[in-house]
Amino acid sequence: MAFTTKASIANFGGRLLKLSHKSATTGTDMAVSVFLPAQALAGSRVPVLIYLSGLTCSPDNCSEKGFFQHGAARHGVALVWPDTSPRGLNLPGEKDSWDFGEAASFYVDAARDPWSANYRMESYLTQELPSLLFGGQAKAGFEGADSLDGGRVSITGHSMGGHGALTLYLKHPGMYRSVSAFAPIANPSQCPWGEKAFTGYLGEDREEWKKHDATELVKGWKGGDLKMLIDVGTGDNFYKQKQLLPENFEQAVKGAGLSGLTLRYQDGYDHSYFFMSSFSDDHVAHAAKYLNA
Ligand SMILES: N[C@@H](CCC(=O)N[C@@H](CSC=O)C(=O)NCC(=O)O)C(=O)O
Protein backbone atom coordinates (compact mmCIF):
# COMPACT_ATOMS: atom_id res chain seq x y z
CA MET A 1 0.00 0.00 0.00
CA ALA A 2 1.58 3.23 -1.14
CA PHE A 3 -0.20 5.74 1.08
CA THR A 4 -0.79 6.05 4.80
CA THR A 5 -3.98 7.93 5.71
CA LYS A 6 -3.21 10.44 8.49
CA ALA A 7 -6.67 12.03 8.54
CA SER A 8 -10.03 11.66 6.82
CA ILE A 9 -12.26 14.71 7.27
CA ALA A 10 -15.85 15.29 6.10
CA ASN A 11 -15.76 18.31 3.79
CA PHE A 12 -18.24 19.84 1.29
CA GLY A 13 -20.18 16.55 1.12
CA GLY A 14 -17.04 14.57 0.34
CA ARG A 15 -13.86 13.77 2.26
CA LEU A 16 -10.50 15.46 2.63
CA LEU A 17 -7.74 12.88 3.06
CA LYS A 18 -4.35 13.82 4.46
CA LEU A 19 -1.95 11.21 3.12
CA SER A 20 1.75 10.44 3.21
CA HIS A 21 3.92 8.03 1.28
CA LYS A 22 7.52 7.05 0.75
CA SER A 23 8.90 8.50 -2.47
CA ALA A 24 11.62 6.71 -4.39
CA THR A 25 12.08 9.88 -6.46
CA THR A 26 12.81 12.28 -3.60
CA GLY A 27 14.12 9.67 -1.15
CA THR A 28 11.83 11.07 1.55
CA ASP A 29 8.35 10.73 2.94
CA MET A 30 6.02 13.03 1.03
CA ALA A 31 2.77 14.54 2.23
CA VAL A 32 -0.17 14.92 -0.15
CA SER A 33 -3.81 15.77 0.43
CA VAL A 34 -6.75 14.60 -1.66
CA PHE A 35 -10.36 15.79 -1.77
CA LEU A 36 -12.84 13.15 -2.90
CA PRO A 37 -16.20 14.65 -3.86
CA ALA A 38 -19.45 12.87 -2.96
CA GLN A 39 -19.64 11.49 -6.51
CA ALA A 40 -16.39 9.58 -5.91
CA LEU A 41 -17.57 8.23 -2.57
CA ALA A 42 -20.73 7.02 -4.32
CA GLY A 43 -18.59 4.99 -6.74
CA SER A 44 -18.34 7.23 -9.83
CA ARG A 45 -15.02 7.73 -11.59
CA VAL A 46 -14.07 11.39 -11.20
CA PRO A 47 -11.48 13.58 -12.94
CA VAL A 48 -8.66 15.22 -11.01
CA LEU A 49 -7.40 18.78 -10.56
CA ILE A 50 -3.87 19.07 -9.16
CA TYR A 51 -3.04 22.28 -7.25
CA LEU A 52 0.62 23.24 -6.81
CA SER A 53 1.17 25.54 -3.85
CA GLY A 54 3.44 28.54 -3.44
CA LEU A 55 6.56 29.28 -1.43
CA THR A 56 6.41 28.30 2.26
CA CYS A 57 3.31 26.13 1.79
CA SER A 58 2.43 22.54 2.66
CA PRO A 59 -0.68 20.73 1.36
CA ASP A 60 -2.59 22.31 4.27
CA ASN A 61 -2.57 25.97 3.22
CA CYS A 62 -4.79 25.60 0.17
CA SER A 63 -6.90 22.72 1.42
CA GLU A 64 -7.76 24.76 4.53
CA LYS A 65 -8.32 28.20 3.02
CA GLY A 66 -8.39 28.01 -0.80
CA PHE A 67 -12.02 26.74 -0.88
CA PHE A 68 -11.42 24.78 -4.08
CA GLN A 69 -13.61 22.06 -2.55
CA HIS A 70 -16.70 24.23 -3.08
CA GLY A 71 -16.41 24.11 -6.89
CA ALA A 72 -14.97 20.60 -6.92
CA ALA A 73 -17.99 19.23 -5.04
CA ARG A 74 -20.31 20.93 -7.53
CA HIS A 75 -18.50 19.65 -10.63
CA GLY A 76 -17.58 16.21 -9.27
CA VAL A 77 -13.84 16.80 -9.48
CA ALA A 78 -11.22 15.35 -7.11
CA LEU A 79 -8.46 17.67 -5.88
CA VAL A 80 -4.83 16.77 -5.20
CA TRP A 81 -2.49 19.04 -3.24
CA PRO A 82 1.12 17.79 -3.36
CA ASP A 83 3.81 19.22 -1.12
CA THR A 84 6.17 21.98 -2.27
CA SER A 85 9.47 20.07 -1.80
CA PRO A 86 10.98 17.08 -0.06
CA ARG A 87 11.35 17.67 3.70
CA GLY A 88 13.56 16.51 6.51
CA LEU A 89 16.77 16.12 4.54
CA ASN A 90 18.74 18.73 6.47
CA LEU A 91 20.80 19.67 3.43
CA PRO A 92 23.20 22.59 3.97
CA GLY A 93 21.31 25.86 3.44
CA GLU A 94 17.97 24.10 3.00
CA LYS A 95 16.21 26.16 5.64
CA ASP A 96 18.19 29.40 5.42
CA SER A 97 15.58 31.33 3.43
CA TRP A 98 11.87 31.09 2.71
CA ASP A 99 12.27 31.36 -1.07
CA PHE A 100 14.84 28.58 -1.64
CA GLY A 101 15.23 25.02 -0.35
CA GLU A 102 12.56 23.43 1.78
CA ALA A 103 9.03 24.40 0.63
CA ALA A 104 10.58 26.24 -2.33
CA SER A 105 11.48 23.56 -4.89
CA PHE A 106 10.18 25.50 -7.91
CA TYR A 107 8.99 22.07 -9.15
CA VAL A 108 12.13 21.38 -11.21
CA ASP A 109 14.52 18.43 -11.21
CA ALA A 110 17.59 20.06 -9.70
CA ALA A 111 20.86 19.60 -11.55
CA ARG A 112 23.25 20.95 -8.90
CA ASP A 113 24.59 19.39 -5.73
CA PRO A 114 23.47 19.01 -3.02
CA TRP A 115 19.93 19.30 -4.47
CA SER A 116 20.01 16.96 -7.46
CA ALA A 117 19.65 13.69 -5.52
CA ASN A 118 16.36 14.61 -3.83
CA TYR A 119 14.91 17.82 -5.28
CA ARG A 120 13.38 16.01 -8.28
CA MET A 121 9.91 17.47 -8.10
CA GLU A 122 9.17 17.46 -11.83
CA SER A 123 9.78 13.70 -12.00
CA TYR A 124 7.89 13.19 -8.76
CA LEU A 125 4.83 15.10 -9.99
CA THR A 126 4.72 13.79 -13.55
CA GLN A 127 5.76 10.17 -12.96
CA GLU A 128 5.80 8.76 -9.45
CA LEU A 129 2.85 10.53 -7.85
CA PRO A 130 0.40 9.81 -10.73
CA SER A 131 1.50 6.20 -10.88
CA LEU A 132 0.81 5.76 -7.15
CA LEU A 133 -2.38 7.82 -7.00
CA PHE A 134 -4.00 6.40 -10.10
CA GLY A 135 -2.89 2.80 -9.70
CA GLY A 136 -6.12 1.74 -7.98
CA GLN A 137 -7.08 1.13 -4.36
CA ALA A 138 -5.09 -2.08 -3.93
CA LYS A 139 -1.89 -0.22 -4.78
CA ALA A 140 -2.75 3.18 -3.30
CA GLY A 141 -4.38 1.88 -0.14
CA PHE A 142 -6.73 4.75 0.68
CA GLU A 143 -10.51 4.90 0.57
CA GLY A 144 -11.86 6.04 -2.79
CA ALA A 145 -8.62 5.61 -4.76
CA ASP A 146 -10.42 3.50 -7.36
CA SER A 147 -12.60 6.49 -8.22
CA LEU A 148 -9.69 8.67 -9.43
CA ASP A 149 -9.59 8.84 -13.23
CA GLY A 150 -5.92 9.30 -14.10
CA GLY A 151 -6.86 9.77 -17.76
CA ARG A 152 -8.60 13.07 -16.97
CA VAL A 153 -6.23 15.40 -15.12
CA SER A 154 -5.84 19.20 -15.12
CA ILE A 155 -3.39 21.37 -13.20
CA THR A 156 -3.46 24.70 -11.41
CA GLY A 157 -1.34 26.53 -8.85
CA HIS A 158 -0.38 29.72 -7.06
CA SER A 159 2.73 31.85 -7.41
CA MET A 160 5.66 29.37 -7.38
CA GLY A 161 2.95 26.75 -7.91
CA GLY A 162 1.52 28.80 -10.78
CA HIS A 163 4.97 28.66 -12.35
CA GLY A 164 4.94 24.89 -11.72
CA ALA A 165 1.48 24.44 -13.25
CA LEU A 166 2.29 26.46 -16.37
CA THR A 167 5.67 24.83 -16.96
CA LEU A 168 4.56 21.24 -16.37
CA TYR A 169 1.60 21.83 -18.69
CA LEU A 170 3.80 23.33 -21.41
CA LYS A 171 6.56 20.72 -21.01
CA HIS A 172 4.24 17.70 -21.03
CA PRO A 173 1.68 18.20 -23.80
CA GLY A 174 -1.26 15.84 -23.39
CA MET A 175 -0.62 15.07 -19.72
CA TYR A 176 -3.10 17.73 -18.52
CA ARG A 177 -6.38 18.71 -20.18
CA SER A 178 -6.15 22.38 -19.13
CA VAL A 179 -4.15 24.70 -16.91
CA SER A 180 -4.80 27.70 -14.72
CA ALA A 181 -2.78 29.81 -12.33
CA PHE A 182 -3.10 32.46 -9.66
CA ALA A 183 -0.37 35.11 -9.63
CA PRO A 184 2.14 32.79 -11.32
CA ILE A 185 5.85 33.53 -11.44
CA ALA A 186 5.45 33.70 -15.20
CA ASN A 187 8.96 34.60 -16.34
CA PRO A 188 11.29 33.29 -13.59
CA SER A 189 14.50 33.86 -15.59
CA GLN A 190 13.82 37.60 -15.32
CA CYS A 191 12.79 38.03 -11.67
CA PRO A 192 14.69 37.86 -8.36
CA TRP A 193 12.86 34.77 -7.04
CA GLY A 194 13.52 32.82 -10.23
CA GLU A 195 17.10 33.96 -10.63
CA LYS A 196 17.90 32.80 -7.10
CA ALA A 197 16.13 29.45 -7.46
CA PHE A 198 17.39 28.61 -10.95
CA THR A 199 20.98 29.51 -10.05
CA GLY A 200 20.77 27.29 -6.98
CA TYR A 201 18.99 24.33 -8.55
CA LEU A 202 20.13 24.50 -12.19
CA GLY A 203 23.40 26.46 -12.27
CA GLU A 204 24.54 29.62 -14.00
CA ASP A 205 23.64 28.74 -17.62
CA ARG A 206 20.68 30.95 -18.53
CA GLU A 207 19.99 28.88 -21.65
CA GLU A 208 19.23 25.94 -19.34
CA TRP A 209 16.83 28.14 -17.36
CA LYS A 210 14.72 28.72 -20.47
CA LYS A 211 13.63 25.07 -20.37
CA HIS A 212 11.85 25.81 -17.07
CA ASP A 213 10.44 29.26 -17.82
CA ALA A 214 6.80 29.50 -18.97
CA THR A 215 7.44 32.64 -21.01
CA GLU A 216 10.17 30.86 -22.95
CA LEU A 217 8.35 27.52 -23.17
CA VAL A 218 5.14 28.98 -24.56
CA LYS A 219 7.04 30.36 -27.57
CA GLY A 220 7.55 26.75 -28.70
CA TRP A 221 4.05 25.46 -27.84
CA LYS A 222 2.63 23.25 -30.59
CA GLY A 223 -0.36 21.87 -28.66
CA GLY A 224 -3.05 24.14 -30.16
CA ASP A 225 -5.49 26.18 -28.07
CA LEU A 226 -3.82 26.89 -24.73
CA LYS A 227 -6.89 26.18 -22.53
CA MET A 228 -5.28 28.50 -19.97
CA LEU A 229 -6.76 30.81 -17.31
CA ILE A 230 -4.55 33.18 -15.30
CA ASP A 231 -5.65 35.59 -12.56
CA VAL A 232 -3.41 38.29 -11.11
CA GLY A 233 -4.43 40.78 -8.38
CA THR A 234 -3.59 44.42 -9.03
CA GLY A 235 -2.96 44.92 -5.30
CA ASP A 236 -0.41 42.08 -5.19
CA ASN A 237 2.86 43.40 -3.78
CA PHE A 238 4.86 40.67 -5.52
CA TYR A 239 3.26 41.71 -8.83
CA LYS A 240 4.23 45.33 -8.11
CA GLN A 241 7.78 44.21 -7.26
CA LYS A 242 7.99 42.49 -10.69
CA GLN A 243 8.34 38.98 -9.34
CA LEU A 244 5.43 37.71 -11.49
CA LEU A 245 5.76 39.44 -14.89
CA PRO A 246 2.48 38.24 -16.46
CA GLU A 247 2.83 40.92 -19.16
CA ASN A 248 5.96 39.17 -20.48
CA PHE A 249 4.05 35.90 -20.68
CA GLU A 250 1.10 37.52 -22.47
CA GLN A 251 3.49 39.17 -24.93
CA ALA A 252 5.13 35.80 -25.66
CA VAL A 253 1.71 34.20 -26.26
CA LYS A 254 0.77 37.01 -28.65
CA GLY A 255 4.15 36.83 -30.38
CA ALA A 256 3.71 33.10 -30.96
CA GLY A 257 0.22 33.72 -32.40
CA LEU A 258 -1.41 31.39 -29.84
CA SER A 259 -5.06 31.37 -28.78
CA GLY A 260 -6.72 30.20 -25.59
CA LEU A 261 -5.12 32.40 -22.89
CA THR A 262 -7.53 34.24 -20.60
CA LEU A 263 -5.48 36.61 -18.45
CA ARG A 264 -7.51 38.60 -15.93
CA TYR A 265 -6.35 41.40 -13.65
CA GLN A 266 -8.51 41.39 -10.53
CA ASP A 267 -8.86 44.86 -9.09
CA GLY A 268 -7.37 45.33 -5.63
CA TYR A 269 -6.69 41.67 -4.82
CA ASP A 270 -3.41 40.77 -3.12
CA HIS A 271 -1.23 37.62 -3.19
CA SER A 272 -2.97 35.85 -0.33
CA TYR A 273 -5.52 33.09 -0.02
CA PHE A 274 -8.22 35.79 0.22
CA PHE A 275 -7.50 36.15 -3.52
CA MET A 276 -7.48 32.42 -4.33
CA SER A 277 -10.65 31.70 -2.34
CA SER A 278 -12.44 34.51 -4.20
CA PHE A 279 -11.77 32.95 -7.60
CA SER A 280 -11.20 29.25 -6.90
CA ASP A 281 -14.73 28.45 -8.17
CA ASP A 282 -13.77 29.98 -11.54
CA HIS A 283 -10.59 27.90 -11.76
CA VAL A 284 -12.38 24.66 -10.91
CA ALA A 285 -15.08 25.51 -13.48
CA HIS A 286 -12.35 26.18 -16.07
CA ALA A 287 -10.80 22.76 -15.40
CA ALA A 288 -14.18 21.00 -15.25
CA LYS A 289 -15.09 22.34 -18.70
CA TYR A 290 -12.23 20.30 -20.19
CA LEU A 291 -12.24 17.41 -17.72
CA ASN A 292 -15.91 16.67 -18.21
CA ALA A 293 -15.99 17.34 -21.98
N1 LIG B 1 6.93 34.82 4.17
C1 LIG B 1 6.74 35.75 3.11
C2 LIG B 1 5.41 35.57 2.41
C3 LIG B 1 5.33 34.21 1.76
C4 LIG B 1 4.11 34.09 0.91
O1 LIG B 1 3.38 35.02 0.65
N2 LIG B 1 3.92 32.88 0.44
C5 LIG B 1 2.81 32.65 -0.41
C6 LIG B 1 3.31 32.08 -1.68
S1 LIG B 1 4.46 33.21 -2.44
C7 LIG B 1 4.91 32.48 -3.92
O2 LIG B 1 5.12 31.37 -4.14
C8 LIG B 1 1.85 31.74 0.29
O3 LIG B 1 1.02 31.14 -0.33
N3 LIG B 1 1.96 31.67 1.62
C9 LIG B 1 1.18 30.80 2.44
C10 LIG B 1 -0.09 31.38 2.96
O4 LIG B 1 -0.84 30.63 3.63
O5 LIG B 1 -0.41 32.56 2.72
C11 LIG B 1 6.79 37.17 3.60
O6 LIG B 1 6.84 37.30 4.80
O7 LIG B 1 6.74 38.07 2.76
Side-chain angles (χ1 to χ4, degrees):
M1 304 265 206
F3 294 91
T4 302
T5 303
K6 306 274 189 180
S8 174
I9 303 163
N11 191 213
F12 284 94
R15 294 204 80 80
L16 172 67
L17 307 180
K18 298 190 181 197
L19 308 171
S20 76
H21 71 101
K22 292 201 182 305
S23 167
T25 309
T26 66
T28 62
D29 286 349
M30 294 294 287
V32 56
S33 291
V34 173
F35 171 70
L36 297 170
Q39 295 88 333
L41 301 180
S44 296
R45 296 270 285 167
V46 295
V48 178
L49 177 61
I50 297 172
Y51 175 98
L52 301 182
S53 301
L55 296 163
T56 73
C57 289
S58 74
D60 288 341
N61 299 66
C62 185
S63 58
E64 290 176 3
K65 55 187 180 175
F67 291 99
F68 280 72
Q69 296 93 314
H70 179 260
R74 180 159 167 234
H75 292 282
V77 172
L79 301 167
V80 173
W81 296 273
D83 208 346
T84 45
S85 78
R87 293 179 192 264
L89 290 160
N90 291 317
L91 299 174
E94 197 178 18
K95 294 184 184 175
D96 288 357
S97 51
W98 65 273
D99 54 3
F100 185 78
E102 198 167 279
S105 70
F106 275 76
Y107 302 108
V108 296
D109 283 357
R112 287 187 76 185
D113 290 340
W115 312 101
S116 57
N118 310 92
Y119 275 64
R120 303 182 59 230
M121 288 297 287
E122 179 175 348
S123 294
Y124 169 70
L125 291 168
T126 58
Q127 295 170 35
E128 185 180 21
L129 185 61
S131 130
L132 298 176
L133 272 179
F134 308 140
Q137 187 144 345
K139 184 172 178 186
F142 62 87
E143 57 172 316
D146 279 339
S147 69
L148 298 177
D149 184 349
R152 289 187 291 155
V153 180
S154 285
I155 192 161
T156 185
H158 168 228
S159 195
M160 174 185 76
H163 144 78
L166 294 178
T167 56
L168 295 187
Y169 178 79
L170 293 168
K171 282 199 242 185
H172 300 276
M175 183 170 281
Y176 308 105
R177 292 207 178 177
S178 65
V179 65
S180 72
F182 293 86
I185 304 170
N187 191 187
S189 305
Q190 303 298 328
C191 76
W193 273 341
E195 287 173 330
K196 177 175 177 178
F198 283 4
T199 303
Y201 295 132
L202 303 173
E204 310 284 346
D205 182 359
R206 284 180 172 259
E207 285 304 306
E208 202 54 36
W209 297 6
K210 289 183 178 176
K211 298 175 189 167
H212 309 276
D213 184 320
T215 295
E216 297 297 334
L217 287 164
V218 82
K219 294 175 187 170
W221 175 253
K222 301 277 186 279
D225 186 284
L226 280 166
K227 303 182 177 71
M228 184 178 283
L229 169 65
I230 297 177
D231 275 319
V232 179
T234 62
D236 182 330
N237 279 332
F238 296 126
Y239 170 55
K240 294 179 193 169
Q241 292 162 14
K242 303 206 177 304
Q243 293 280 20
L244 309 179
L245 303 171
E247 294 87 355
N248 293 6
F249 184 75
E250 185 178 30
Q251 198 56 43
V253 169
K254 282 188 180 150
L258 297 170
S259 62
L261 167 65
T262 302
L263 171 56
R264 309 187 302 189
Y265 289 92
Q266 303 291 0
D267 191 31
Y269 284 87
D270 64 16
H271 200 72
S272 75
Y273 275 91
F274 291 111
F275 171 44
M276 265 80 76
S277 57
S278 301
F279 299 101
S280 52
D281 275 357
D282 290 0
H283 286 242
V284 175
H286 170 77
K289 179 175 146 191
Y290 298 103
L291 291 169
N292 289 325

